[in-house]
Amino acid sequence: MNLEINENFGVKLMKHLLSMEDAREEVDEILDLAGKFKMRAIPGEPLAKKSLAMIFEKASTRTRVSFEVGMYQLGGNALYLSSDDLQLGRGEIIEDTARTMSRYVDGVMIRAIEHEDVLEFSLNSSIPVINGLTNKEHPCQALADLLTIYESKGSFNVTLSFIGDGNNVCNSLLFASAFTGMDMNVVCPPQYKPDFEIVKKAEEYAEKTGSKLKITDNIEEGLKDTDVIYTDVWVSMGDEAEASKRISDLKDYQVNREALTLADPNAIVMHCLPAVRGQEITEEVINSDQSVIWNQAENRLHAQKAILYRLLKD
Ligand code: CP
Ligand code: NVA
């Protein structure tokens, strides 16, 4: 796969994947590897005898299964560790957990409530740490999504419109767009805008690649002629207490048949999943010909393997 996105931002190779920003120099390499894994073009067991600890403070289907199966397919193994079952859940500090894990396993993937906790873990860890979703970012999702967009559209010379809650997934997609030169519109009510610092940084990267980033609350403007419509749940994990307010605030930002008529007729529809049919997206759109949601879910496996290979291989 020749992605032609060798923009050099002048940093060292990534040691951890805590933010999508960590992958900025290596997006093309990771996507190329992911494509090769998908085509079964990398033989053998490159991570034989390697172990990945997977710490979860929140539920997961795709991230857990794709990392676990990915490690197995690469010849290694993965340990599912619910934070409730670790001493971490009884108050052992992150620093001690990170130091201990570093003596047993070759990498750690963490799905944490607080982004800062993943950063702290990495600072006390001598092995690679991968962010499997925090309140701030979802870099593994964004890398897999780039693969899906490239496969579906054949280039990054497209516009991605993210509609709904400008949360963790949206934040990582802003970096992903800025690094690849893709244009991105975030379409959301003012109080659901993405992280201010991330927008600022993404805009700086976007200046170098020519990517145009726009935030608007106007659905017509944000979806006009777009190539990729992307949404995420309105009530993320941890937001349950404000569910009814969120559903009411975001009700006009649903991906439905009418929304699709605003976009390019060949636009694809993406959703990181899990989805709540009837809230952020309709059943009809999920099952439409324009939906690439199941390819997108599959690509988590191939992208995860690329990330693991890149960070854990000797
Ligand atoms: N998209 C995603 O990360 O899904 P899970 O929460 O099921 O892992
Ligand atoms: N924004 C969602 C993403 C789930 C993969 C959440 O944080 O729950």
Side-chain angles (χ1 to χ4, degrees), residues 58-59 62-63 111 132-135 138 141 162 165 167-170 232-240 271-274 300:
K58 291 174 172 181
R62 281 141 289 270
T63 306
R111 171 163 286 195
L133 181 83
T134 63
N135 57 330
H138 200 356
Q141 181 71 52
F162 180 97
D165 181 15
N167 192 8
N168 38 21
V169 171
C170 178
D232 183 10
V233 285
W234 291 344
V235 184
S236 282
M237 289 180 277
D239 290 337
E240 290 80 3
H271 192 311
C272 54
L273 301 175
R300 287 294 304 277

Side-chain angles (χ1 to χ4, degrees), residues 278-304:
Q279 287 188 18
E280 76 279 359
I281 192 163
T282 59
E283 171 92 40
E284 181 186 27
V285 170
I286 288 189
N287 294 326
S288 72
D289 290 345
Q290 285 172 262
S291 161
V292 296
I293 290 171
W294 310 113
N295 290 341
Q296 183 184 1
E298 177 188 329
N299 282 339
R300 287 294 304 277
L301 173 64
H302 310 302
Q304 246 71 276

Side-chain angles (χ1 to χ4, degrees), residues 5 9 20 27 142-143 145-146 149 156-162 169-186 202-203 205-214 228 230:
I5 46 169
F9 295 110
M20 185 63 196
V27 171
L143 284 163
D145 292 342
L146 286 177
I149 292 166
F156 291 118
N157 190 18
V158 293
T159 302
L160 162 70
S161 296
F162 180 97
V169 171
C170 178
N171 287 333
S172 291
L173 287 171
L174 278 165
F175 278 135
S177 300
F179 301 155
T180 55
M182 188 159 61
D183 293 340
M184 179 166 168
N185 300 332
V186 180
E203 276 170 350
Y205 290 118
E207 265 181 37
K208 297 189 186 166
T209 60
S211 154
K212 290 199 274 306
L213 308 178
K214 177 160 61 177
V228 181
Y230 196 121

Side-chain angles (χ1 to χ4, degrees), residues 32-104:
D32 185 54
L33 273 170
K36 287 195 172 110
F37 278 120
K38 190 165 186 174
M39 291 184 299
R40 297 175 196 272
I42 299 178
E45 298 193 327
L47 299 188
K49 301 271 185 280
K50 300 268 184 190
S51 296
L52 177 78
M54 308 189 300
I55 301 176
F56 283 91
E57 285 187 344
K58 291 174 172 181
S60 170
T61 297
R62 281 141 289 270
T63 306
R64 176 184 174 177
V65 177
S66 57
F67 267 107
E68 191 162 337
V69 171
M71 275 306 284
Y72 173 75
Q73 292 182 357
L74 293 170
N77 81 324
L79 294 85
Y80 172 77
L81 305 165
S82 155
S83 57
D84 290 340
D85 299 333
L86 294 171
Q87 297 289 6
L88 196 58
R90 291 183 55 250
E92 184 171 16
I93 62 172
I94 291 172
E95 180 180 338
D96 292 356
T97 309
R99 286 178 171 181
T100 305
M101 290 281 179
S102 299
R103 302 290 178 111
Y104 294 141

